[in-house]
Amino acid sequence: MFKSSRRDIVLQIGAVLMTGAISAVPEAAAKPNTAAAAGFRSDPVPRFNVLQASGRLDGVHGVVAMLGGDVVFERYFPGQDWAWGRDLGHVAFGPDTLHDLRSVTKSIVGLLYGIALADKRVPPIDDAILDHFPEYVDLRMDRNRSRITIRHALTMTLGMKWDESLPYTDPANSEIAMERATDRYRFILDRPILGQPGRGWIYSGGAVALIGKLIEKGTGQSLPDFAEKALFAPLGISGMEWARGSDGEASAASGLRLAPRSVARIGRMILSGGMWDNRSVLPKPWLDQSFQPAALVDIGWPGMHYGHLWYLGEALIHGTTGSYGEPFVAAFGNGGQRLFVFPSLDFVLSITTGNYDSPEQWRAPAAILSDVFLPSLTNE
């Protein structure tokens, strides 16, 4: 068994949710919603205001909560922002302002594969991945490498060396090295083999780049074009940007920019079993499959698991009669980008922040969830 590389930015949130730890906000750019308490057991607005007054949520840009299909809470705050490392200066965020999602992009790419698979435009997930990259004849001759499947990419269990624990300004970071490679797909598929595929989890933007390329190969469309037509347009999402590398390839790992309202809509579609406005956008069986923990995989924190490019866990609720875990599925991105979906609570929370590459970036989203919304939903 090989050891998983660990990405503190992503995984610390698991520890926070399992322990109920809290923290961090800046000055509000909008007044509290007058109907913010609708559907909650207790009003989240006073809790949010207390958290805001504490000054502990520095760097938050947007918060959108949906309950029972309705937007019940929405706040925006001005602040410094970047678009994939490009300085945007001081931004006055609002409902339509696009924001880097960073690795939340990965989870959305997982949804796109499910849409394309239902239309039989991409290969079954147990196909050998190199069978669909015939241009790399030499790599297909490697017996160990030829056993790697699309499922292994979807679950980040490729069994190949990949290290994103280094800063994203470091050329030795595997994602940065991929972006600078002459051929990003050869770079990914030619990584050293560390162990049997499916037996260990290594966080890998390269795995998602392969999924994105399979979508492009199968649909004959660029990844952004397919996403716009197959997912965003059916959800009524009109604003979108997708960053491309110097080679012109759309970054499947981290390049998507959406408004937090749009991200919340994606969460609501998930809660509705892939439906939106009485139309099937995404097959429910794909969602069910995506939210099952990958077998034999430990991602490094107790209680946290990984499905098909989605995190799976339980938020710890401290009740008067004891504590219990509330199941969620989630997408996490560098800087504090978050999408939480709580099926049994019929609740979606979308958060955007500008704390990119900070070791403390997990604190603000964790506080918003654990100090404001979970108590208001459970009345605990």
Side-chain angles (χ1 to χ4, degrees), residues 64 76 94-101 237 239-241 257-266 350 352:
V64 176
Y76 298 98
D96 299 319
T97 310
L98 301 184
H99 199 285
D100 272 18
L101 301 187
I237 297 171
M240 179 267 285
E241 293 176 2
R257 287 172 59 79
L258 292 173
R261 272 187 181 180
S262 299
V263 178
R265 283 187 170 222
I266 293 170
S350 170
T352 54

Side-chain angles (χ1 to χ4, degrees), residues 5-30:
S5 62
R6 185 173 298 183
R7 202 180 188 210
D8 290 340
I9 291 169
V10 173
L11 294 181
Q12 280 176 334
I13 187 69
V16 170
L17 293 178
M18 295 308 294
T19 60
I22 59 173
S23 265
V25 174
E27 292 188 13

Side-chain angles (χ1 to χ4, degrees), residues 4 34 42 101 135 142 175 181 199 258 304 340:
S4 300
T34 56
S42 59
L101 301 187
E135 57 269 40
D142 184 330
E175 183 169 331
R199 298 300 297 270
L258 292 173
M304 291 291 289
F340 291 105

